[in-house]
Amino acid sequence: MKQDIFQAIADPTRRAILTLIAIQALTPNAMAEKFDMSRQAVSKHIKVLHQCELIKPEQSGREIYYHFNAKKMQEFDNWLAQFRKNWEIQFNQLDELLSTIKKQKK
C-alpha cells in the first residue's frame, strides 16, 4: 500500500530521518545509530518514506544509501504555497484588527 505524504511527515522520527539525510545520504544502520530504536524499527520508517518517494535508495557495493528526494518535497511545498498566501492575508488582517482594538482601548 502506498503511503500518504502527510502520514509520512506526521511522525517525528520520520521527520528526523528526513532532516538527517537532507544533509548526507545514510545507510539504515547509520540512521539506526542516531536513534534509540532497533534497526528494524528504523527500517519501517524508511519503508514509509520510500513509499512516499521522499527518499531514494542507491546501491553502493553491499550497502544501500538513502538520499533525500528534494524534488518530491518541492512538489509538496508548491502545493502548500497556495495556502501560505491565504494565511498571510488572514494574519495581516488579524494584525490590523488587533492594532485597531489596541488603539481604541487607549
Side-chain angles (χ1 to χ4, degrees):
M1 173 175 75
K2 186 168 177 154
Q3 294 288 323
D4 182 276
I5 192 168
F6 295 103
Q7 291 172 323
I9 62 174
D11 186 276
T13 301
R14 289 193 282 269
R15 289 193 307 267
I17 289 171
L18 288 172
T19 301
L20 282 174
I21 65 171
I23 298 166
Q24 174 185 0
L26 295 171
T27 64
N29 285 334
M31 285 184 230
E33 291 174 5
K34 308 281 186 187
F35 299 95
D36 186 25
M37 64 179 64
S38 68
R39 161 74 164 74
Q40 291 78 15
V42 170
S43 290
K44 288 180 182 181
H45 288 295
I46 290 170
K47 181 179 178 182
V48 171
L49 293 169
H50 182 245
Q51 288 174 339
C52 294
E53 300 174 354
L54 290 171
I55 62 175
K56 298 183 288 188
E58 182 181 298
Q59 188 83 32
S60 179
R62 293 177 52 178
E63 296 287 344
I64 296 175
Y65 286 85
Y66 286 91
H67 297 264
F68 182 74
N69 185 359
K71 185 176 182 178
K72 187 67 174 184
M73 193 57 80
Q74 183 64 50
E75 290 174 20
F76 180 66
D77 185 56
N78 291 342
W79 180 82
L80 277 178
Q82 63 186 329
F83 300 103
R84 193 174 296 121
K85 184 178 269 189
N86 189 33
W87 297 332
E88 288 174 5
I89 291 169
Q90 290 180 357
F91 285 135
N92 287 339
Q93 289 173 344
L94 180 58
D95 283 342
E96 289 174 20
L97 177 62
L98 292 173
S99 291
T100 302
I101 292 171
K102 197 174 187 179
K103 287 177 186 176
Q104 288 174 353
K105 286 186 174 186
K106 286 184 179 184

